[in-house]
Structures are given as C-alpha cells and as structure tokens.
C-alpha cells in the first residue's frame, strides 16, 4: 500500500470538453483515476478513460435491471 501514498490526495478532473453524465460516473471516474499518479495521466488517457467510465456505468445499470 505504500506505493499509493499521496496518490489519493490528487483529484483528477476530466479534460475540457469531456463530461460525465451522473454521480455514478463520477464515482467510477474517481475510482479509476486513483490507479495512477496525477502526473502520469495525459489528456488522451483521460478522454479514453471517460469512454470506459461511461461503458462501465452502462454495464452496471444493465446488470441491475
């Protein structure tokens, strides 16, 4: 767990022009972005991550229906 020290303090926001649709997507976003240090994320990584977050939220919603 020492490898993650300090990483949780960095809030990573989606890049300009990329929005999240719901609170569930914001939660998934925060969970996924904790995987790497803030300085390691590039804009293209965050754009692709936003697409993954949307798909994950849709999958979770479909599983509960």
């Amino acid at each position: 767990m020492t490898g993650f020290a300090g990483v949780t303090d960095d809030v990573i926001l989606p890049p300009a022009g990329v929005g999240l649709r719901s609170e569930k997507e914001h939660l998934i976003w925060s969970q996924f972005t904790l995987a790497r240090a803030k300085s390691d994320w590039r804009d293209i990584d965050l754009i692709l991550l936003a697409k993954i977050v949307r798909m994950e939220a849709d999958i979770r919603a479909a599983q509960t229906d």
Side-chain angles (χ1 to χ4, degrees):
M1 292 300 283
T2 58
F4 291 100
V7 174
T8 58
D9 295 336
D10 292 331
V11 174
I12 300 172
L13 300 174
V18 175
L20 301 174
R21 302 177 292 186
S22 67
E23 285 299 315
K24 288 184 181 185
E25 286 187 7
H26 283 278
L27 175 63
I28 297 167
W29 176 269
S30 65
Q31 292 169 340
F32 284 9
T33 56
L34 291 177
R36 298 182 353 194
K38 186 175 185 177
S39 62
D40 291 341
W41 289 104
R42 301 173 299 166
D43 278 350
I44 189 65
D45 298 330
L46 296 173
I47 291 168
L48 295 173
L49 180 61
K51 293 176 183 259
I52 293 168
V53 165
R54 288 185 193 117
M55 286 188 291
E56 178 66 18
D58 291 343
I59 289 167
R60 291 181 186 187
Q63 288 176 337
T64 60
D65 289 343

